[in-house]
Every structure is written in structure tokens, then in C-alpha cells.
Amino acid sequence: MSPDATPDPYADPLTFGQRMQILRERRGMTRVVLAGLLGRSPEWVKQIEKGRLQAPGIDVVLAIAEALRVRDLADLTGRPDMHVDLFVGPGHPRLGAVRAAVDTLPLTTQRQAPPAAHLRARLARAWAARHSSPHHRQVLGELLPDLIRDAQLAARQAGQSSEWRAAQSALSEVYSLAQFFVAYQPDAALLWRVAERSMMAAQQSDDAHAVGVSAWLLAQAHRDSGPHHYDSADAVTRETLAYLEPLLPDANDDVLAIAGALEFEAGYTAARRGDAADAWRHWDTAERMAQRLPEDYFHPVTSFSRSIMGAHAVTVAVELHSGPESVRQAARADAGTIPSRPRRARHRIEEARGYQLDGQPDVALATLAQAHEAAPETIRYNGYARRIILEETESRVAARRRRAADLAVKVGVLAA
């Protein structure tokens, strides 16, 4: 091997510190940035990498793996018995309570379940709270445990077929709500349990809207799992749209909206593939469906509406890696018409990605600051936003570097 070549972090025998340094350098990350992510000093990072300090405990090792975006813990530790898939997002303090509610089955509970109408009213309040709160994960984390347990109990105790289907429909939507909380957190298995249980309950309910919502979220789970799952995402959207199509001529606004949301999801996946023609074709179809909705309509789960289509156009352009088109679509979209705070913040992040692609990092940082103002918890759990901020903390432009560092502290990417 040439003395100038980068060593292979998976070759033995490398120490933990050597692997950590190699993986950090391959990420293009300085010791200062890694130290900030870990809440440590750059000197501490150096001492670990040089083997002058003992390898840290498992909690710190997991934090290092997250900061370096290591997908398999064995890549960092060098231990073949530690092949653990990792997720790059931070875990919310309420994640454990939500997980416990999902995993606890009410097989021996004697408590009487609340009626389906009561669950529906609580669900409506929960969706409204999610859209209106800047700290939407905290809100959901507090509401979900009791809501999940009550919905599970209602489904178990339901009697006649109509009552049972109504309970299954409510249970499906509760799991869909839970998926918004679980997404981008360090428990991929929990995400899949929630997504699949939602779809199972929706099919049993025979509720077209519940099936559409579950499919919309299931397609996202597949797509976010990487290119090998794009075909599965397409299969979910295609099958569900075929199921909904005969209902659309007489459909109410909610069913029409979930069909439109699924149509856009098909375009989103096409954009991820790099298929511009297919992506924009699906967007055009979704736009026509949005125009059939009342001007002030806003779907309570997906945010699908007339006002969201501009944001969707930005997403398509960004996923196609077209900086100029992303900026053009961002100029046309009006974020102020999006009533949901987390969805508005998500749109701002997509705009920031577009500005970054277009070589406008200062505008990207300013747009991320707007995202933080709209919903801090949205940007905190978004990997794209975190990446842009971290990259600009290394900018050669001092003023930009300071702005990025200030935003990094606000978002929680770097320690104060």
C-alpha cells in the first residue's frame, strides 16, 4: 500500500481510535466538529484516536457511531459480533414510553375501553396539536401512550362487525399518528411494526381513507429505507391507487386528498430514482386532484391541499438534484399558506437543500433558520438540515461559519 493511501477501516488489526479517525476523515469531519457533536473537547477526540485514552463505554461508542453516521457498529468497533444497524437521528425522551405502549398487548386487561367516537375525538385533537405545535414530537410523545393502549383495547373488546370495523379504523389511524413520532428516530424495527400494524388494521376496517393513509406512510417507510426498497414503495402506491380509483368520482374530500397524496408519493419516488419525466407527470396528476378540493381544505394527516403543491414541486426538483429548478420552484411556493408548523418547517428545509444545490449557502442557512423558527423539532431530526449546517461550520467564510455554528447550537447539532 502507498504511504499516502487511506487505510481500510475494516482491516485488522486496527484499534478503535484508528477506526474512529479513518471514518471521521472519510466523512470530511474535523475533530472540532466531532467534538461538538459529542459534547467533548477536540483534545479528547485526539487522545481517543491516538490511543492515549482507553476506548470509551458503549453509550459513548453509540454516540460516536451516530455522529459519524456509521450504519453498522462493527465498522467502528472492528468486532464481528457487533453487527448492529444504526440510525443517524437522536432519540426523543418519550420514545421509550411510546415503544412500551406499542409492544404491550391488552390480553388480560379488565378495564373498559372507550367508545370509538371518543377515540376519534382524541385523534382529531392530537392531529390538530401536532400541526400547531413547534414541539410536535413532545406533544405526540405525551399523548400517544394512552391513546395507543386505549385503541388497542377498543379493538380487542369491540363486538358486532360495524363496531369492530370502526375500532380497527381508529386503531389504524392511531398507529399512523405514532409513525409521525417514530420516524427518524433510532428504532427502525419499531417504525416497521407501527407501519405494518396500521396497514393490517386499515384493511380489516374496510375504510378506504384509513387504507390510503396507512399506504401513504408505508410507501414512505420503504422509500426512506434506500434504493433497494423503491420498487416496494411503488408497489404500495400503485396498488392503493388502483383500489381507490373506482371510489374517486363520488369520493369525499378526505378520500380524494389521500389519493392525491399517494399520487405525489409516486412522483417523489420517481424523483429519487432520477426519473424526471415520471416525477413531474405524477406531480401534474396530483396537482389536478388538488384543484378538485376546496380552496381552504387541508388534509389532517398528509397536509395534501392546493397550498402544498408548491412545496411538493420544490421537493421534486431537489430530489432530481436540480439547483436552479429548485430555486425557481421555491420562489413560486408560498410557505405562509401551509398551516401546519412541522410541514412548513419541512418545506423550508427542502428550500434550503435547493439553495445549497444552487451554490447559495448563505440563503440556505437563512432558510434553515426559518425552519427552526417554525418547528425546532422538525429540523432537529432532519438529516439533510443537520448535514448542511455541519458542512457550513467548516466554511472558509468566517461570517458564514459563525452563522452555521450558532444555528448548530440552536438545533442541537453542536454543544454550546
Side-chain angles (χ1 to χ4, degrees), residues 117-135:
H118 179 71
L119 288 174
R120 280 286 168 198
R122 288 164 63 186
L123 266 168
R125 289 194 297 269
W127 286 119
R130 178 191 178 269
H131 287 303
S132 62
S133 174
H135 303 288

Side-chain angles (χ1 to χ4, degrees), residues 22-38:
I22 293 164
L23 291 166
R24 173 180 62 77
E25 290 175 348
R26 282 190 172 183
R27 290 273 307 127
M29 187 182 294
T30 66
R31 285 178 180 145
V32 172
V33 171
L34 180 57
L37 287 168
L38 298 173

Side-chain angles (χ1 to χ4, degrees), residues 398-411:
R400 185 184 305 149
R401 193 165 61 242
R402 286 194 298 271
R403 284 195 296 274
D406 289 344
L407 187 56
V409 171
K410 287 182 181 178
V411 172

Side-chain angles (χ1 to χ4, degrees), residues 191-330:
L191 175 69
W192 282 108
R193 283 203 300 284
V194 167
E196 289 170 354
R197 287 189 191 181
S198 176
M199 178 53 77
M200 288 177 62
Q203 291 183 76
Q204 291 171 335
S205 75
D206 202 25
D207 181 335
H209 180 255
V211 170
V213 169
S214 296
W216 181 76
L217 286 164
L218 186 59
Q220 291 185 15
H222 279 297
R223 186 180 61 243
D224 289 346
S225 296
H228 294 302
H229 292 258
Y230 290 171
D231 286 348
S232 297
D234 280 338
V236 170
T237 52
R238 185 169 55 247
E239 183 72 12
T240 310
L241 283 168
Y243 162 73
L244 292 174
E245 185 177 8
L247 309 176
L248 296 184
D250 301 315
N252 61 29
D253 290 341
D254 286 347
V255 173
L256 179 60
I258 195 59
L262 283 161
E263 191 71 45
F264 170 71
E265 286 304 309
Y268 194 157
T269 305
R272 280 273 177 95
R273 279 197 173 96
D275 187 342
D278 205 33
W280 287 114
R281 178 178 65 81
H282 284 293
W283 184 91
D284 286 339
T285 303
E287 165 70 7
R288 289 194 296 271
M289 297 173 80
Q291 291 303 317
R292 291 174 56 186
L293 296 167
E295 189 172 356
D296 60 350
Y297 175 85
F298 190 79
H299 190 262
V301 179
T302 68
S303 298
F304 191 80
S305 57
R306 294 189 189 185
S307 63
I308 208 66
M309 293 311 300
H312 282 341
V314 174
T315 296
V316 169
V318 167
E319 292 296 341
L320 291 169
H321 306 290
S322 174
E325 181 62 17
S326 301
V327 171
R328 189 176 77 83
Q329 293 294 345

